[in-house]
Every structure is written in structure tokens, then in C-alpha cells.
Amino acid sequence: MLTKRIIPCLDVKSGRVVKGVKFQNLADVGDPVELAVRYEQEGADEVVFLDITATIEERRTILDVARRTAERLFIPLTIGGGIRTYGDVKETLRAGADKVSMNTAAVDNPALITETARDFGSQCVVVAIDTRREARGHKVYTRAGSKPSGLDTIEWAKRVADLGAGEILLTSIDADGTTDGYDLEVTSSVADAVRIPVIASGGCGSAAHIEEVLTRGRADAALAASIFHYGTMTVGAVKDALRRKGLPVR
Amino acid sequence: MLPLTLLDYGVGNIHSLKKSFEQAGAQVTVETEPSRILAAKALLLPGVGAFGKVAAQIAPFRSELKARLEQGLPAFAVCIGMQILYESSEEGEGEGLGLFPGRVRRLRHARLPHIGWNSVEHEGRGPLAGVPSNAYLYFVHSYAPSECSDPCVATTDYGGRFAAASVRGKVWAVQFHPEKSSATGARIVRNFVDFVSRG
């Protein structure tokens, strides 16, 4: 049986791991390669690096991190942040990422989804959607949650799936950094609207949150950062808790 | 040290596959040149890309490559590398090598691609020697060979059973990614290196 995936996410700035609370207040917590390997040993199903520097001159740093990680990590690695062009996708995959995640670039240039899916395969194209609850439903934000795109979240999710995305990484801006739990409503709405896997992100503070987003939220995978970095729980402990609740985990 | 030639299709991440075989004691050379691929002592067909593109790339030396494999060239094929060993695919145009009979079909599941860790049922043959049945391995694909009889030696269920591993002589093919399957994957890689090294 296909298991539900637990995916630790590392925010990386200038080659070092940080975790933003509501995308601010960054605290340095270590080397991305070492942390990724530690997560594999703990039973993580995949690892995501989100490059939050992403200035042109620092693109090299994350590619070097990808290369060093591919030497030592034997579970899938996704890299997001600062992916703007077809060339960025190609370079990031060739450096050692298994998937790339694109957000702002997908909104600005939806054809990029189709072009990269065609040449590298849908499976390596993850579209990240940052969503915020508004009076008229959930709306998509770009540029690290700072800019409203005007797009409806559910409609955009369907569209990226049609364009060739292999997965959706859905982050609730409202929930992110709160540790109060994932946004189950928007997660289940997106999971029901598309026929590609959905990774839930934003708000995780406990194993119970992960359990509810994988059941009531109908997500295929749960991404979390702070609970793993700060040692609130290990990946193994989360999986034990999910197993006790009868969820299929590795 | 086992010399392995990795056929590079020019797309995607091949580092982890190369590294995982190096860790198992092989010496891996990355090649795109048909003459050097045909001269390989043992071949590695990686698992990134689309059927049509890979079929087009091997088209110029397709019959020579098939003949080499039929004559006993050891090969390990992953994902799309496995699919190309069949006759054809619903994913795209072009001919596979036809070393295995049948057509690669789109999985019949409501949610595709099939991404993640799934259990593999098998009887410990070939790549799966020493791996418990129903062990979890990492998959990422939308197409797979649907033939679950010979040469298939392992199956997985995702909207129906498909061939998770196939073996013919010294050609081992797996639909999952051993290089992304942590310790269990490392065991499978080691099985191939040991098998070929023993002659």
C-alpha cells in the first residue's frame, strides 16, 4: 500500500539552514547536508530545501548544496526558491535535486510548468502554492507571501495540474509559523479538486496535526519544519504516532 | 572493482544513482557515446526522462544494444530504464528494446503520478534477494509494465498490480528507485554489484 509521506523542510539561506516564522525572524540552525542525512536516518520519506536567498549571485550556493547533498542523501530531494527559468530547472536537477518547486515563476509564466514537465517529466515539477484566506475564499500569493496574485487557490491548483505539474505543495500563509495546525479546509478543497498528489504545509506543531491533515485534510504528504528542527518531535516519533492511529507509513 | 557504464540521457539527476553504485563498490563512468555504451562491461540505465525521448536517443544503436543484452551483457535498469526494455509504451512514440515482451501502460489510479513509498511483493529473486517481502521502496512514475508473469519477479499495487521488478538472464530491471530508497535500496544495488562481480 502507498504510504503517507512525512517531509521535513529546511529553509536555506547562503548555504545554511534557517527557519522563518511567518517568513521573518530567521534563526540559523545548521548545515543542510548534515540535517538532511539525519532526517533520512530518522525515517523521513523525502527532504525539501527552500532557498530563501535566491538572489542571482547566491544561486551558486544552493547548487553547491544540492551537489553535496546528492553525494550523501538516498531519499528524494526537492529544491525550491529562486527557480525562475527553464535553465534554472535544468541546472538544479542536474546539480542533484530530484524535483524542483516553483511558485512565483509558475504564476508569472505558467508555460514554464508545461515546458519543464515535457522535457524532464511531471514527476520533477512541483508547483508551490502559497494561499491566504480572504473574504471571498482562498487566494494565491507570490514573492514569499508578500504579493497578492488575484488568483483563486482552487482554480489555480486545477490549472497547474492541467499544465503538467506532478505535485502541489500547498502552504497556508495564515497557518505558517503558528504551530496551531494545518489549514484543513483549504488542503482538503485542493486535494479534492486535483488528481495529482498534494503536500500540505504550514502550521504543524504536533503529530496530531500531521494525522489530521493526512486524514481529514486528505493530503498525500505532510511537510513540517520547526517541530523537527527544534527537536519537538523526531520523524520516527511522528511515524509511530501515525502507525498507532492506523495510517499507512513506512 | 566492477566497471559500470551509466547511459546518460542528458536530463535529470543521475548523481544519486551513480553514487549509490559507487558505494556498493562499482566504478561508474557516465557516457552518451553509443560506441562506448556498446563496449560496456556492465550497463546502468537510469530512471529519469520520458519514454519517447529515451527511445529516440537509443534508436540509432537500438538493435546492437539489444543484441549485446541478449548475449549476456549485465545491466541494471531503473524506472524509465526498465520501461525501455519492453516493446513500447502508452507514454510516447518510439520502440523500446523489446527484450521483455509487452507494452508499458498508464497506471489506472485516480491520483497520478504514483509518488512515494509503496510495498513490493516478491519471493526474493534477483534484485530482491535478502529484502523482506512487502518492504517499502520509493516510486515516482505514471506508467509501468502491466505484465505480472515472467519475466516479472516482483509486483506492486497502485490502481492494479504492475511489474515492480523484472529479470532476464543478467538484465535486472526495477520500476522503483533504489537510489532513493535509503537502506533497502542500497541492499538492492549491492545485490547487482555482487551478482555481476561473481560472474
Side-chain angles (χ1 to χ4, degrees):
Chain A
M1 184 191 272
L2 181 66
T3 58
K4 298 284 188 179
R5 287 171 284 156
I6 307 300
I7 308 176
C9 174
L10 304 171
D11 287 359
V12 179
K13 189 172 201 285
S14 308
R16 299 281 297 170
V17 174
V18 290
K19 169 57 190 168
V21 177
K22 292 212 173 196
F23 300 112
Q24 286 157 23
N25 303 328
L26 306 178
D28 195 333
V29 285
D31 175 34
V33 184
E34 292 302 325
L35 272 167
V37 169
R38 198 187 79 191
Y39 286 141
E40 177 184 346
Q41 289 160 356
E42 281 183 3
D45 295 306
E46 300 186 20
V47 173
V48 170
F49 288 167
L50 184 63
D51 183 17
I52 56 169
T53 36
T55 56
I56 306 291
E57 55 276 20
E58 292 202 283
R59 287 288 307 154
R60 301 287 125 196
T61 323
I62 194 72
L63 294 178
D64 178 58
V65 169
R67 268 179 221 111
R68 289 195 293 120
T69 310
E71 291 272 299
R72 293 187 48 206
L73 187 74
F74 296 100
I75 55 174
L77 171 68
T78 303
I79 292 184
I83 307 284
R84 303 259 181 270
T85 64
Y86 181 96
D88 291 341
V89 173
K90 182 168 186 176
E91 207 171 37
T92 307
L93 294 172
R94 288 299 275 182
D98 298 290
K99 318 181 201 182
V100 293
S101 158
M102 48 178 112
N103 182 341
T104 303
V107 171
D108 291 349
N109 175 22
L112 185 61
I113 301 170
T114 310
E115 286 160 15
T116 51
R118 181 194 60 212
D119 289 358
F120 310 116
S122 284
Q123 81 290 336
C124 66
V125 180
V126 181
V127 173
I129 301 179
D130 289 352
T131 182
R132 176 172 276 162
R133 188 188 304 263
E134 292 186 347
R136 291 192 189 135
H138 281 271
K139 299 293 178 190
V140 177
Y141 278 67
T142 59
R143 292 171 179 79
S146 67
K147 186 170 176 272
S149 70
L151 294 166
D152 176 80
T153 300
I154 308 300
E155 293 310 313
W156 176 238
K158 286 189 201 165
R159 176 125 188 265
V160 303
D162 287 344
L163 289 169
E167 283 180 291
I168 289 172
L169 169 56
L170 182 72
T171 302
S172 161
I173 297 170
D174 308 298
D176 198 55
T178 64
T179 69
D180 292 338
Y182 295 89
D183 186 332
L184 302 182
E185 184 217 318
V186 73
T187 307
S188 59
S189 303
V190 169
D192 289 347
V194 299
R195 304 183 78 181
I196 58 176
V198 174
I199 305 163
S201 159
C204 181
S206 69
H209 291 153
I210 292 181
E211 186 217 337
E212 63 187 13
V213 84
L214 295 174
T215 52
R216 284 162 57 204
R218 293 192 282 285
D220 299 280
L223 180 137
S226 14
I227 66 158
F228 298 138
H229 301 333
Y230 300 132
T232 314
M233 285 196 95
T234 62
V235 177
V238 167
K239 288 195 163 183
D240 286 342
L242 296 176
R243 213 173 276 121
R244 282 196 297 273
K245 295 283 187 178
L247 265 74
V249 289
R250 176 171 70 101
Chain B
M1 192 178 268
L2 175 70
L4 259 178
T5 302
L6 188 154
L7 200 170
D8 185 9
Y9 320 131
V11 295
N13 171 17
I14 52 168
H15 296 283
S16 312
L17 187 66
K18 179 169 185 277
K19 189 70 193 177
S20 63
F21 276 87
E22 286 171 351
Q23 283 197 333
Q27 187 179 13
V28 183
T29 316
V30 177
E31 286 292 354
T32 53
E33 187 58 43
S35 61
R36 293 208 202 95
I37 290 155
L38 292 167
K41 294 272 189 295
L43 197 61
L44 201 47
L45 300 170
V48 285
F51 188 91
K53 282 213 150 196
V54 177
Q57 198 189 344
I58 62 164
F61 60 107
R62 180 184 166 278
S63 50
E64 292 94 325
L65 181 57
K66 185 183 180 186
R68 289 279 288 125
L69 294 169
E70 281 173 334
Q71 288 155 10
L73 170 66
F76 191 94
V78 177
C79 193
I80 193 74
M82 173 188 193
Q83 296 173 15
I84 206 74
L85 295 171
Y86 285 78
E87 291 166 4
S88 62
S89 172
E90 286 180 2
E91 188 190 8
E93 297 293 305
E95 265 185 285
L97 286 164
L99 195 76
F100 298 148
R103 184 163 162 84
V104 175
R105 303 202 178 274
R106 191 167 167 87
L107 296 171
R108 287 187 299 272
H109 192 283
R111 214 175 275 280
L112 290 176
H114 173 216
I115 299 183
W117 299 76
N118 204 334
S119 51
V120 175
E121 218 172 274
H122 65 89
E123 290 170 357
R125 286 179 58 197
L128 284 313
V131 174
S133 190
N134 289 311
Y136 288 109
L137 289 150
Y138 190 83
F139 290 85
V140 49
H141 62 127
S142 297
Y143 297 82
S146 53
E147 286 296 324
C148 291
S149 53
D150 195 54
C152 169
V153 297
T155 65
T156 291
D157 180 31
Y158 192 68
R161 291 221 158 253
F162 63 86
S166 294
V167 169
R168 178 179 161 191
K170 291 184 177 172
V171 179
W172 290 10
V174 295
Q175 182 56 66
F176 49 81
H177 288 259
E179 78 280 17
K180 294 290 152 191
S181 295
S182 203
T184 312
R187 171 63 201 247
I188 289 164
V189 167
R190 210 164 60 240
N191 282 345
F192 182 73
V193 173
D194 291 349
F195 168 70
V196 179
S197 303
R198 279 197 310 268

